[in-house]
Amino acid sequence: MEEVFRFYLNSRTVSFHKSLELKLSSVDEPKSGYGLFIEPSKFNSQELKNETITLLRISKLITFDINTILALLGDKEEFTSKEQFKRTNDKVKATLRDILAYPGFSRFLTETNLLIIYFMTFQAIHGSYEIPKGIRYYLENVLMSIDVETAMDSIENLAVNYGHYPQIFGLQESLNLFKDLFQDLLHINDIKHLYSAIISRCLEIPEIADTKSQEFCVHSTLVPILDFSNHENTQKNAFFDIDPSNNDVLLLLDTDAVRGRTEKSSEVFISYSPTEDLFSMLITYGFIPCFRGHAQFWTVSFDRSFLRDYNGSGINADLRIFYKWLRINPVVSLVKLENNGRVRWFINDTTPDFEMLLLPFIPSLNGSKSARWAYDSTCHLMFTKIHCLVNPETNEHAPVIAENYRSLIEERESNGDDLIDLPQLAWSLRYKETESGCIQQRHTNSEDAITLLQQEPQQKQDVAEAKLQFTSFFRSFLRYRKSKITKRSTNSKVARMLLKQELEIINNLTEAIDKNSDIFVSDLNVTLDVEPNRLPPLRFLDDCIEIPDNKVALDPICEDPVSYTPDKFTDFFQEEINQHSPFFQDD
């Protein structure tokens, strides 16, 4: 890599400070390979008076995003002849045309994936076609030469234990796509390696989109030399930016980090992300940052089979079906903090997402035996009744409509998707109306349910009891996960790191729960210095069907829609008809 470093520094497209050099990184856990270093003694007194010092100025022309790649391909001067220019461009266009025609490709259409596709195309054709010199050099000497391992390299192994994590499922989907697109052009190992190399080095680089309005846009970009910079939030002393006059990429050193220092060499650290979500960082970059006093996060994705089969005391809901109908993400954010001199993991209960997760654990009203949530196992008849009221001319076909809704709902409840994209008419909530004090019930989404519950006078007590129920549920989940992952052995470095980290979390939280120690962030007198990342998206599996081991298949029974009475599950039937009528209107 030192040869690559010198190649770019000696080019006319990179300006660099004389103090800058490339050496083996000082970060040992994990080993980060090479890193950028500076010698504080090489900064003059005038430079040290400024807030920042420019370490690198990298011409926009040698960075790689979608626009610069297209510009290079469109520049005839990058080719030895017009014939080579036309031949290469025709080949690239034909390849991309086939890719864009791939069924369902639009689901994968992101800037980063397009960047990956371009470089996979270049790798596939570079032996037979001429490609621009800058692209060829970076492809051969950086992307295909670096030693990198991310989750993609061992995705089949990881899927055994973490296939229920949306990020892992997404990687599987991406790998299947790239395998289909390049199956006759690239070896599977090259596909994985290129994906890992690009995804771990991509930066979100701003760019002036309009010089008059000074509006910025952001592009997924590969930046030579800058991509040697390593991540360390607690020792961050530099950041990247652009020169708005020409969109050159700059690496700027915080002068305070070197002012008054005399040691021979100091590593330059940037931040890949201000929030260290350990799961995401490991699968993207191939390492877990050491804990150095600042909050770190881990987003637990609950095994869908565990949710489906859990039947703990006090829970009347099928958690898997409940979360699907109310479109609640079945994940929980954990935080690693130092508290009372000890580093521990806690459940982050301070977010609206956690409030939604608690909904099925809300206790009954005033000690009543009636549960807060009631599931209508014949909700297909509720769908039928509203359908026929919205479309009176279909009344005579009510039995057939009911059977169609029954089949539709059964399929949606049993498939692998994380949400049911139908009106939420399966679960009704019992709550105390604020003004009258009467007990009422209605079908509601998760946001409205939280609003209704927050208006009840015993809301704080109910939340406290719900958290106790959730703790019992979570303790069972930790026991379940430990029994699964301790049986696994793997040759994958990333998988071993994931299993080791999760086992630490399980043992840590299990001990805290069993000792009745504080396990929620709200129990602590702390303010998180960073916010957790956004939760991963809800998962779509399409062809996956989830069937409980103990489920007995029943013959379909089409009950009489006319005899169905919605009053058993809602006091707001007409209001719900008005709310959902657009869904039921026949085209």
Side-chain angles (χ1 to χ4, degrees):
M1 285 297 129
E2 291 183 23
E3 182 181 334
V4 173
F5 182 69
R6 292 300 162 197
F7 171 83
Y8 282 108
L9 292 191
N10 292 333
S11 71
R12 296 180 180 179
T13 52
V14 176
S15 302
F16 64 100
H17 196 280
K18 62 182 179 181
S19 71
L20 197 66
E21 57 184 336
L22 184 74
K23 299 197 301 188
L24 288 175
S25 175
S26 60
V27 180
D28 292 324
E29 298 180 3
K31 199 74 174 177
S32 297
Y34 286 91
L36 297 179
F37 285 75
I38 46 101
E39 289 191 30
S41 61
K42 291 187 177 181
F43 296 108
N44 60 50
S45 57
Q46 186 60 40
E47 287 178 316
L48 294 173
K49 292 178 182 179
N50 301 323
E51 291 185 4
T52 62
I53 300 172
T54 301
L55 296 178
L56 277 172
R57 173 181 287 272
I58 303 163
S59 171
K60 173 70 175 176
L61 297 175
I62 69 161
T63 67
F64 301 104
D65 62 23
I66 299 305
N67 294 325
T68 58
I69 287 176
L70 290 175
L72 286 169
L73 286 172
D75 185 357
K76 294 180 181 179
E77 298 299 319
E78 289 287 330
F79 298 84
T80 57
S81 68
K82 291 181 180 179
E83 290 74 18
Q84 293 293 347
F85 166 79
K86 184 177 187 307
R87 186 168 178 266
T88 297
N89 274 272
D90 287 347
K91 178 63 176 177
V92 171
K93 288 175 183 176
T95 303
L96 291 177
R97 198 159 43 240
D98 292 341
I99 288 172
L100 291 172
Y102 182 86
F105 178 74
S106 59
R107 289 194 299 136
F108 300 88
L109 194 56
T110 66
E111 273 201 6
T112 304
N113 278 345
L114 277 178
L115 199 59
I116 292 168
I117 285 169
Y118 267 109
F119 274 100
M120 286 187 180
T121 300
F122 296 141
Q123 176 65 14
I125 71 172
H126 81 286
S128 305
Y129 291 81
E130 212 176 278
I131 60 175
K133 294 183 288 294
I135 293 175
R136 177 185 288 273
Y137 186 88
Y138 192 76
L139 175 65
E140 293 178 349
N141 295 280
V142 179
L143 294 181
M144 294 304 295
S145 298
I146 59 174
D147 182 15
V148 61
E149 181 184 350
T150 70
M152 180 61 87
D153 296 280
S154 51
I155 187 63
E156 297 88 353
N157 196 309
L158 289 170
V160 175
N161 293 301
Y162 298 98
H164 56 290
Y165 276 68
Q167 302 98 317
I168 298 298
F169 169 68
L171 283 179
Q172 288 180 288
E173 290 276 273
S174 296
L175 179 60
N176 290 335
L177 169 73
F178 295 130
K179 282 168 60 178
D180 286 349
L181 297 180
F182 295 96
Q183 58 183 334
D184 299 324
L185 303 171
L186 290 176
H187 190 277
I188 182 63
N189 291 340
D190 286 342
I191 291 174
K192 289 181 175 181
H193 181 87
L194 266 175
Y195 183 94
S196 293
I198 293 172
I199 206 75
S200 64
R201 300 177 88 79
C202 246
L203 297 170
E204 294 297 310
I205 300 294
E207 179 181 347
I208 291 287
D210 186 339
T211 54
K212 293 182 179 179
S213 64
Q214 293 292 294
E215 290 186 358
F216 283 83
C217 57
V218 176
H219 296 294
S220 294
T221 311
L222 294 165
V223 186
I225 302 296
L226 178 58
D227 54 16
F228 283 120
S229 301
N230 287 316
H231 164 93
E232 178 49 71
N233 275 339
T234 60
Q235 300 180 58
K236 177 187 171 186
N237 54 15
F239 61 95
F240 58 86
D241 203 348
I242 64 161
D243 182 339
S245 67
N246 56 12
N247 286 318
D248 283 355
V249 181
L250 308 175
L251 177 61
L252 301 173
L253 180 73
D254 182 355
T255 312
D256 286 341
V258 293
R259 191 180 287 123
R261 298 178 67 170
T262 58
E263 66 264 31
K264 289 185 177 180
S265 188
S266 177
E267 185 163 3
V268 176
F269 288 113
I270 63 173
S271 175
Y272 295 172
S273 169
T275 299
E276 293 185 342
D277 187 300
L278 303 190
F279 187 89
S280 296
M281 295 201 76
L282 181 55
I283 66 172
T284 302
Y285 302 111
F287 71 91
I288 292 178
C290 295
F291 180 80
R292 301 185 189 277
H294 291 276
Q296 293 181 326
F297 299 87
W298 179 281
T299 304
V300 171
S301 185
F302 291 111
D303 297 51
R304 307 312 189 256
S305 57
F306 179 80
L307 294 177
R308 183 192 64 211
D309 298 332
Y310 181 74
N311 57 359
S313 61
I315 303 298
N316 72 303
D318 177 326
L319 291 176
R320 176 62 171 147
I321 300 299
F322 179 88
Y323 287 147
K324 285 179 63 161
W325 273 106
L326 276 83
R327 306 184 189 186
I328 296 172
N329 211 337
V331 303
V332 62
S333 174
L334 306 181
V335 190
K336 190 174 189 178
L337 296 168
E338 183 173 357
N339 183 253
N340 293 328
R342 186 183 175 198
V343 178
R344 274 193 45 209
W345 284 93
F346 297 87
I347 298 171
N348 186 11
D349 62 330
T350 64
T351 67
D353 300 298
F354 186 77
E355 289 184 272
M356 294 182 186
L357 205 63
L358 281 186
L359 282 175
F361 299 92
I362 295 294
S364 57
L365 277 166
N366 302 326
S368 167
K369 292 183 179 180
S370 298
R372 281 302 191 99
W373 292 97
Y375 174 69
D376 183 0
S377 60
T378 59
C379 63
H380 61 285
L381 298 180
M382 173 71 81
F383 277 76
T384 304
K385 200 165 193 73
I386 296 179
H387 183 105
C388 291
L389 288 170
V390 173
N391 308 281
E393 70 280 4
T394 64
N395 272 301
E396 60 182 300
H397 305 296
V400 175
I401 293 171
E403 175 58 23
N404 288 339
Y405 277 122
R406 186 199 64 77
S407 298
L408 174 66
I409 290 168
E410 183 180 76
E411 184 276 326
R412 298 291 173 85
E413 288 187 340
S414 62
N415 71 20
D417 294 353
D418 278 341
L419 63 84
I420 293 174
D421 193 19
L422 297 172
Q424 203 297 91
L425 296 169
W427 293 88
S428 57
L429 171 69
R430 299 180 77 248
Y431 64 99
K432 182 176 289 188
E433 205 277 326
T434 306
E435 294 184 3
S436 67
C438 296
I439 305 299
Q440 295 184 319
Q441 58 183 347
R442 69 189 311 153
H443 299 106
T444 177
N445 60 35
S446 54
E447 292 86 354
D448 291 343
I450 288 174
T451 300
L452 290 170
L453 293 170
Q454 286 175 339
Q455 296 171 358
E456 295 181 337
Q458 76 281 10
Q459 187 256 347
K460 288 186 177 180
Q461 179 182 345
D462 284 349
V463 169
E465 290 187 34
K467 287 169 75 172
L468 286 175
Q469 289 287 352
F470 178 84
T471 301
S472 176
F473 155 80
F474 195 62
R475 178 66 178 84
S476 297
F477 172 74
L478 295 175
R479 186 184 305 113
Y480 165 84
R481 280 299 293 175
K482 188 170 184 177
S483 70
K484 287 195 68 175
I485 67 174
T486 52
K487 299 175 184 177
R488 303 294 182 185
S489 60
T490 175
N491 294 322
S492 161
K493 171 188 168 186
V494 172
R496 288 198 303 271
M497 293 175 72
L498 271 177
L499 292 170
K500 180 181 178 182
Q501 182 61 70
E502 187 181 7
L503 194 58
E504 173 200 302
I505 292 170
I506 290 171
N507 290 336
N508 192 281
L509 279 167
T510 297
E511 179 185 1
I513 292 172
D514 291 347
K515 290 184 176 180
N516 292 319
S517 302
D518 293 334
I519 63 165
F520 294 104
V521 171
S522 64
D523 295 331
L524 313 175
N525 185 26
V526 299
T527 301
L528 297 179
D529 48 9
V530 289
E531 290 295 319
N533 287 337
R534 293 180 60 185
L535 297 183
L538 292 168
R539 193 182 61 172
F540 293 87
L541 289 177
D542 296 328
D543 59 345
C544 175
I545 301 299
E546 299 176 354
I547 302 175
D549 295 335
N550 57 358
K551 183 175 181 179
V552 179
L554 300 175
D555 294 329
I557 300 174
C558 188
E559 300 90 342
D560 178 16
V562 177
S563 62
Y564 179 81
T565 54
D567 295 350
K568 183 179 178 182
F569 292 96
T570 180
D571 298 322
F572 300 89
F573 184 54
Q574 186 57 53
E575 183 180 314
E576 292 171 13
I577 292 175
N578 296 337
Q579 179 184 355
H580 299 299
S581 61
F583 172 83
F584 291 96
Q585 287 172 347
D586 281 342
D587 294 333

